[in-house]
Amino acid sequence: MPARSADVADLVARARAGQPRAVARLISLVEDASPQLREVAAALAPFTGNAQVIGLTGSPGVGKSTTTSALISALRGQGRRVGVLAVDPTSPFSGGALLGDRVRMQEHATDPGVFIRSMATRGHLGGLSWSTPQALRVLDAAGCEVVLIETVGVGQSEVEVVSLADTTVVLLAPGMGDGIQAAKAGILEIADAFVVNKADRDGAEQTIRDLKHMISLGRREIRGARWRPPIVRAVAARGEGIEEIVTAVDEHRQWMLAHGELERRRARRAAAEIEAIALQQVRARIGDLRGGTALDTLAKRVLVGELDPYQAADQLVAGLHESP
Ligand SMILES: Nc1nc2c(ncn2[C@@H]2O[C@H](COP(=O)(O)OP(=O)(O)OP(=O)(O)O)[C@@H](O)[C@H]2O)c(=O)[nH]1
Ligand SMILES: [Mg+2]
């Protein structure tokens, strides 16, 4: 894409007026880490903090996209504006889909109250693209009342979606060995609600029993107050259990508001974001020090025993205070 500079204020105004093309352009600006990234971030800031952010995670094929699609319909039925970030290259939203899923998404494609975007994984933070928090800010500022983030539950991405979402929904399905996987991946720790999807299949009751057992073993407490993650049975492919998921997520939000947990989570999210940006800046400045030679020079001095690594690191950090 050519480095054409955009009128950011105008884009933000049009995004807030609900123009999908403006939303898409703003996300592209933050996604490409364009020179206008800072300008965009500053322009969005006053309008952020309103969206209810819901993360959906679970093993490949468990039904995340089907559930997301059904949730969009339910939330639209309540008149809520919805944004979707699919952080998964195999997701139907990114076009790597089964035909049926794509057809299902068509009903939302023409709805101006829905904005769907898939994000490239890019490997920066494992499953989650590093620009996902910024894309989330765009959707939030654009007036999406709910933002759904779909991430495939592999490796670290479950944990990362937690750092972005207000409420994390973990999906399981019978016969996928999820019970054991869940225990291993620490999924119990991150779930604010469980969905046992594909309840039309054999083994759903067993999956629910396993889950209840695990929950009873590993209850969490948050400053005395306790949220017990509900278990929702769903057949997402038929739209069953979807209203119950919406209810569970909204009840969790009410509970968090009542216990100060929403603010705590969001403060943690902001802190992590600031830290990541600051570390990136420090790393870039170290790379630039003395025309990029500072680190190499220090390394050579450590190699010949002139400095120990701690002294060298002190010098490097001291160098950051010099004029750039
Ligand atoms: N039997 C049954 N099949 C379902 C149900 N929900 C989804 N499926 C099917 O399961 C398959 C996978 O669904 P997706 O929604 O694409 O799953 P996903 O978790 O988004 O998959 P990835 O994004 O690839 O990780 C599709 O063929 C769906 O039609 C359900 O409730 N019952
Ligand atoms: Mg998917």
Side-chain angles (χ1 to χ4, degrees), residues 58-67 88 90-92 98 101 104 150 152 197-201 234-238:
S59 306
V62 74
K64 298 177 294 296
S65 297
T66 310
T67 303
D88 173 7
T90 69
S91 164
L98 300 165
D101 286 315
R104 235 193 323 274
E150 175 189 339
V152 68
N197 189 41
K198 306 194 184 184
D200 54 327
R201 292 203 175 158
V235 185
R238 297 203 297 250

Side-chain angles (χ1 to χ4, degrees), residues 40-86:
V40 173
L44 296 174
F47 306 114
T48 55
N50 302 309
Q52 179 179 0
V53 185
I54 301 167
L56 292 105
T57 191
S59 306
V62 74
K64 298 177 294 296
S65 297
T66 310
T67 303
T68 300
S69 187
L71 281 172
I72 296 171
S73 303
L75 293 163
R76 289 300 295 142
Q78 297 178 344
R80 291 152 98 176
R81 291 185 65 193
V82 185
V84 178
L85 293 175

